[in-house]
Amino acid sequence: MKKRVALVLGSGGARGYAHIGVIEEIERRGYDIACVAGCSMGAVVGGIYAAGKLDEYRNWIESLDYLDVLRLVDVSFRLGAIRGEKVFGQIRKIVGELNIEELRIPYTAVATDLTNQQEIWFQEGCLHQAMRASAAIPSLFTPVMQGNRMLVDGGLLNPLPIVPVVSSHCDLIIAVNLNATNQKHYQLPVIQRPPAFKSRFNSLAKSLGSHLPFRRKQAEQLMKLEQEALQAEAADINPWLDAAEPESQQPAAAPEKAGAPKSATGSFIIDNVGPASLLDLINQSFEVMQTSLAQYKIAGYPPDVLINVPKRVCRFFEFYKAPELIALGREIARDTLDRYESEQG
């Protein structure tokens, strides 16, 4: 008889694509995912899975290159750099109009109500609105207004929502933490991709950072950047690759110097490392908070299996790395479940 799994999918921006690889590995081993709770990208992937549309979603995101991601950026002039209508409009096309009650398994999406300063669980009502509210990353996506409530990313209060599945009476709880800090041996797999427009994507990310606070002039510059990229594509121009390399390819840190500052844990602090923009600063701060909160949630309700995805593998906005992140999620899930099953005898 298949073991029934209560699956918890945490928040972590683009790293949320790793959830897809985790789900694939869980199903490959014959487990039955009986319910799912998610936050931010975890709520998006979990909702799409519960709707039975994960294959279609994966096919779409794996087809996106740097320019495709750039095209999905719809600049906002208020309360967030991106409206998100293009991205979530495509998700709506894939999933369709569904209420949570119609899903094939129980589902919970966690959001944060800024108006009343409390955690919100979506367990009924419009699936699309639940996913959109849970994934409204502050400073990046505009909030969702529901009556007099302003809803944003659930990661502000609960980046790893284990509690909603505790009463599910499943055989085991598997939680996927996207903000792990101690998995140094894992790197993104190398997947060959066309290099064109990667530097323009990185330029876009920096421009989004300067878009806070929002000014029309900056928005016009951002739209000009997109137009230039489209023109370059038409002319088959490859102006690349001078942008920063992925973290896994960056040179090692300089040797320790006498008197260099140390963190509370004793590790040396590299003084030339820091956020490149205001957007980067806000989201690095957000991720530090989520890392700490996730540790509290795990300590309070330890899952039977904890799958840790290291947060250093990619930046929160690198949504063009779906194939690599899915493969990484599958690899980490395989290793973690191997250890769990060997311990169970």
Side-chain angles (χ1 to χ4, degrees):
M1 184 177 178
K2 289 185 177 181
K3 283 191 175 182
R4 298 174 71 250
V5 168
L7 184 61
V8 181
L9 304 177
S11 64
R15 292 189 299 277
Y17 287 148
H19 290 318
I20 298 173
V22 171
I23 290 172
E24 290 176 351
E25 181 62 21
I26 289 172
E27 292 192 325
R28 187 188 71 81
R29 289 171 179 260
Y31 293 102
D32 176 26
I33 299 175
C35 68
V36 61
C39 175
S40 196
M41 270 295 287
V44 173
V45 173
I48 294 170
Y49 171 77
K53 299 292 184 180
L54 196 59
D55 287 343
E56 292 91 330
Y57 179 67
R58 175 181 176 164
N59 291 339
W60 174 57
I61 60 174
E62 286 192 327
S63 73
L64 299 177
D65 61 18
Y66 314 110
L67 184 59
D68 293 324
V69 173
L70 189 150
R71 285 193 183 110
L72 290 170
V73 174
D74 43 3
V75 178
S76 171
F77 292 97
R78 57 188 299 273
L79 298 181
I82 301 171
R83 289 193 300 273
E85 293 175 5
K86 290 183 179 179
V87 173
F88 283 94
Q90 183 64 36
I91 292 174
R92 189 191 291 269
K93 288 180 183 178
I94 293 171
V95 174
E97 299 291 342
L98 283 176
N99 284 330
I100 295 172
E101 303 94 306
E102 302 174 71
L103 299 176
R104 57 195 179 91
I105 57 175
Y107 166 80
T108 303
V110 175
T112 300
D113 177 2
L114 285 183
T115 306
N116 299 298
Q117 301 182 10
Q118 63 184 10
E119 185 177 324
I120 299 295
W121 293 3
F122 286 93
Q123 295 179 319
E124 58 183 21
C126 176
L127 173 63
H128 182 80
Q129 186 178 53
M131 293 190 296
R132 175 66 180 84
S134 183
I137 302 171
S139 79
L140 185 61
F141 287 107
T142 55
V144 171
M145 299 305 300
Q146 188 183 70
N148 65 346
R149 300 191 302 185
M150 178 180 286
L151 304 179
V152 297
D153 196 309
L156 281 172
L157 293 177
N158 193 353
L160 195 63
I162 300 172
V163 175
V165 304
V166 169
S167 62
S168 65
H169 303 297
C170 290
D171 296 307
L172 68 158
I173 296 174
I174 298 178
V176 186
N177 175 28
L178 301 179
N179 293 287
T181 58
N182 60 347
Q183 305 293 302
K184 294 184 178 180
H185 60 288
Y186 286 111
Q187 301 287 343
L188 278 184
V190 176
I191 295 178
Q192 295 299 321
R193 315 169 137 276
F197 301 102
K198 182 176 181 181
S199 62
R200 293 192 183 275
F201 184 89
N202 288 331
S203 297
L204 170 67
K206 292 179 181 178
S207 297
L208 286 175
S210 65
H211 193 214
L212 299 170
F214 309 107
R215 298 185 178 94
R216 182 175 297 276
K217 180 180 179 181
Q218 292 167 329
E220 289 173 351
Q221 290 174 344
L222 187 60
M223 287 184 280
K224 181 180 178 182
L225 174 66
E226 181 175 3
Q227 290 172 355
E228 290 175 355
L230 291 170
Q231 291 169 359
E233 180 189 41
D236 196 26
I237 294 173
N238 184 6
W240 296 69
L241 268 166
D242 295 325
E245 291 296 323
E247 293 179 14
S248 61
Q249 299 176 18
Q250 291 178 355
E256 299 172 359
K257 295 185 293 184
K262 292 184 178 182
S263 70
T265 59
S267 59
F268 281 82
I269 299 172
I270 309 302
D271 56 13
N272 63 344
V273 175
S277 67
L278 180 55
L279 180 66
D280 208 18
L281 172 63
I282 292 171
N283 280 278
Q284 282 190 29
S285 302
F286 185 49
E287 289 199 336
V288 168
M289 179 190 68
Q290 286 189 112
T291 300
S292 180
L293 284 173
Q295 291 172 353
Y296 280 113
K297 299 300 180 182
I298 293 166
Y301 292 90
D304 299 290
V305 180
L306 178 62
I307 297 173
N308 280 312
V309 177
K311 66 178 181 180
R312 60 173 174 74
V313 295
C314 80
R315 292 171 289 182
F316 77 98
F317 54 78
E318 292 181 313
F319 287 96
Y320 56 86
K321 291 186 175 180
E324 292 91 340
L325 288 160
I326 292 171
L328 179 67
R330 190 164 48 242
E331 176 189 356
I332 297 175
R334 182 180 64 246
D335 293 347
T336 305
L337 288 169
D338 280 348
R339 288 194 297 270
Y340 168 77
E341 291 172 356
S342 66
E343 291 169 0
Q344 298 301 307

